[in-house]
Amino acid sequence: MNTSPIIALDFKHQEAALSFLKPFETGTFVKVGMQLFYKEGPSILYRLKEQGFDVFLDLKLHDIPNTVKSAMTSLAAVGADLVNVHAAGGSLMMEAALEGLDIGTEAGQSRPSIIAVTQLTSTTEAQMQRDQLIQHSLNDSVLHYAKLAQAAKLDGVVCSVLEASSIANVCGQEFLKVTPGIRLANDAAHDQKRIATPAEARQMGSTQIVVGRSITGAVDPVAAYEEIARQWKGLNE
Ligand code: C5P
């Protein structure tokens, strides 16, 4: 799996996303989320793949197992390299998601990797305890979901940098720990709560970082991307 920073393409339509990507190299890893996918459908994936980008399709599926299985069968055909579900959907739903992907992957093609969202990086421990009625620490909740995802044979999880090292201890280095909530030292946090810098992400055991507004909102997005990539690879220390 590509380990370059994943750029979150949170744009309103595909023209904006594709024009933003023009100065970026082929092979850059990008993330298509709900905003763009619900507007454009699979055509945005076809366009990005044609242009040589690796794509994380971030739709965070969460429904009954049979529905998620069928949805994943459809998604396997659109060309994403990485897809995801909410671990809160449970073990049976995660197993069904994987089955659906296997069914939908054409012979000779490789199945997209699949990861589970643990607790969103916009969630604090107090919010989790109050809104989800989970009376554990946020770290324990994330770790529990990571273990469930691994038992369901998923490839990894989405978590914050703050939980990546305890997940690595329990689930291993190879298990994907894809971490959003990444900010350069002087950037605004926006709605994210559990944030970290790219260098911290590397030190704490993230396997991939997802960065949106720190790149898409920068005056010079390529320079911001390169600075983030340098820190992520440990070249600035
Ligand atoms: O702009 P920012 O860097 O906060 O964007 C983060 C991206 O990662 C957004 O597209 C958001 O939907 C996504 N994401 C997240 N937290 C998760 C899963 C995905 O922020 N747990």
Side-chain angles (χ1 to χ4, degrees):
M1 167 92 29
N2 190 338
T3 55
S4 326
I6 304 173
I7 307 176
L9 296 177
D10 293 324
F11 292 100
K12 286 193 183 128
H13 46 72
Q14 68 177 9
E15 288 71 27
L18 295 171
S19 116
F20 169 83
L21 284 175
K22 275 202 185 114
F24 286 89
E25 284 177 16
T26 309
T28 302
F29 204 170
V30 299
K31 180 174 87 66
V32 171
M34 297 180 200
Q35 183 182 20
L36 201 50
F37 191 78
Y38 292 156
K39 173 78 168 69
E40 305 291 355
S43 89
I44 181 65
L45 271 289
Y46 304 149
R47 299 286 299 276
L48 290 166
K49 292 305 292 178
E50 251 166 42
Q51 296 185 18
F53 294 103
D54 283 351
V55 185
F56 170 17
L57 182 57
D58 177 23
L59 298 180
K60 302 186 181 72
L61 272 59
H62 186 172
D63 206 320
I64 61 172
N66 189 54
T67 300
V68 171
K69 177 176 166 181
S70 320
M72 283 298 179
T73 300
S74 301
L75 288 184
V78 306
D81 300 282
L82 178 65
V83 296
N84 63 357
V85 293
H86 268 288
S91 303
L92 294 179
M93 189 206 72
M94 289 192 273
E95 287 163 11
L98 192 54
E99 254 180 76
L101 278 185
D102 282 333
I103 294 168
T105 303
E106 282 176 31
Q109 300 291 315
S110 44
R111 156 178 88 62
S113 298
I114 172 166
I115 55 180
V117 177
T118 52
Q119 290 288 348
L120 294 167
T121 39
S122 56
T123 303
T124 62
E125 183 167 278
Q127 280 170 348
M128 178 197 79
Q129 292 176 344
R130 187 191 63 219
D131 298 349
Q132 301 175 40
L133 215 61
I134 293 175
Q135 301 308 328
H136 290 272
S137 69
L138 199 133
N139 199 71
D140 283 354
S141 165
V142 169
L143 206 50
H144 171 68
Y145 282 140
K147 288 188 219 159
L148 277 191
Q150 191 169 47
K153 306 225 168 356
L154 267 54
D155 301 295
V157 288
V158 186
C159 60
S160 92
V161 169
L162 310 183
E163 300 100 32
S165 62
S166 39
I167 294 174
N169 288 339
V170 174
C171 302
Q173 307 290 332
E174 299 301 310
F175 192 64
L176 299 178
K177 287 154 272 320
V178 177
T179 59
I182 302 296
R183 294 290 182 269
L184 289 169
N186 296 323
D187 285 350
H190 305 285
D191 53 345
Q192 299 283 19
K193 299 284 169 28
R194 297 173 4 253
I195 59 172
T197 65
E200 287 165 342
R202 177 175 42 75
Q203 287 151 9
M204 309 275 280
S206 300
T207 57
Q208 273 84 13
I209 54 173
V210 176
V211 192
R213 287 162 287 188
S214 287
I215 296 174
T216 55
V219 179
D220 183 345
V222 174
Y225 173 81
E226 284 171 353
E227 174 58 23
I228 285 164
R230 263 195 301 276
Q231 289 195 20
W232 168 235
K233 291 180 192 149
L235 300 178
N236 272 11
E237 291 154 29

